[in-house]
Amino acid sequence: GYYAASLFQQQSPQKITVDEILPSSVASCLVLSVSDPVQYFSDYHAYLKGLGKYNQYSRSLDVLENTYEIDFLKEFLDIWDNEITIAFDAAFTENKKPTSYLLLKVKSQAMAEERFAAILRKMAEKESSSPDRYTSVFKIDNELSYKIYQLPIRRLTGKIFGELFTNIDEHYFTFV
């Protein structure tokens, strides 16, 4: 049979580091930490093929690649430092769903910023828009501010990393 656990047979244990930066409001999280991301995706694709879901997964990425002329899987593999987390804040009221967000550990902040800036420029060009449309600044105080970026593709990480990550609908990101 095809089991999710088989995705980790060729992986080595990893030290999980996301706990060092998760805010105290997080009620739960799911961490995917692998020693060999390329092998992980090779095994993930084989797993999806066994379940008869690979064609749908592949078509979804192909549409994005053809639309934006960006190989999103390659871009993420190039910057990903083996750990990705989906975290869930506790719901504050009965009417409010818990907020979920994604944390992607990157090999190099400078490289990731450069690559994501290039992705945003290309996407903006394809959308006949300005990259500034997808960028804002969040000012904490007079000395600290963060540039916030938006990728205009809904559920992008779910399309790359799979169903576990489809909970992230819109993708706003920053570098810390």
Side-chain angles (χ1 to χ4, degrees):
Y2 297 94
Y3 302 98
S6 65
L7 299 175
F8 303 99
Q9 287 179 330
Q10 298 185 58
Q11 302 293 326
S12 301
Q14 299 295 296
K15 180 180 180 346
I16 294 173
T17 60
V18 73
D19 60 321
E20 298 168 10
I21 62 167
L22 282 176
S24 60
S25 61
V26 169
S28 64
C29 67
L30 171 76
V31 181
L32 175 62
S33 186
V34 297
S35 58
D36 184 346
V38 173
Q39 183 63 52
Y40 169 79
F41 274 103
S42 176
D43 293 342
Y44 180 60
H45 295 166
Y47 168 73
L48 290 175
K49 286 174 185 171
L51 296 176
K53 294 182 175 185
Y54 179 75
N55 288 340
Q56 177 184 349
Y57 168 86
S58 180
R59 270 194 308 273
S60 178
L61 285 178
D62 287 346
V63 166
L64 291 176
E65 186 172 339
N66 292 333
T67 300
Y68 295 106
E69 297 176 6
I70 298 169
D71 183 341
F72 286 96
L73 178 57
K74 180 186 179 315
E75 292 293 337
F76 271 80
L77 280 172
D78 285 351
I79 65 163
W80 184 32
D81 191 17
N82 308 3
E83 186 174 296
I84 184 171
T85 302
I86 184 168
F88 304 94
D89 273 345
F92 296 108
T93 67
E94 288 181 25
N95 299 331
K96 183 180 180 245
K97 288 183 178 179
T99 302
S100 55
Y101 47 97
L102 186 87
L103 296 99
L104 182 72
K105 185 176 178 185
V106 295
K107 295 172 186 170
S108 157
Q109 182 174 334
M111 180 178 72
E113 285 188 74
E114 181 182 301
R115 296 295 277 279
F116 273 105
I119 288 170
L120 279 177
R121 281 192 303 274
K122 193 168 234 183
M123 293 175 84
E125 178 185 313
K126 296 293 181 184
E127 300 278 339
S128 299
S129 186
S130 163
D132 293 341
R133 176 178 175 208
Y134 305 112
T135 307
S136 60
V137 176
F138 181 74
K139 189 173 181 177
I140 306 288
D141 57 33
N142 287 335
E143 297 176 16
L144 183 61
S145 63
Y146 292 99
K147 228 178 199 183
I148 309 288
Y149 304 91
Q150 178 191 14
L151 288 175
I153 300 173
R154 299 186 90 89
R155 293 188 166 81
L156 177 62
T157 48
K159 291 174 179 162
I160 296 169
F161 290 93
E163 290 180 16
L164 289 174
F165 295 92
T166 56
N167 215 38
I168 305 294
D169 184 26
E170 293 187 81
H171 290 77
Y172 292 88
F173 64 94
T174 192
F175 298 93
V176 292

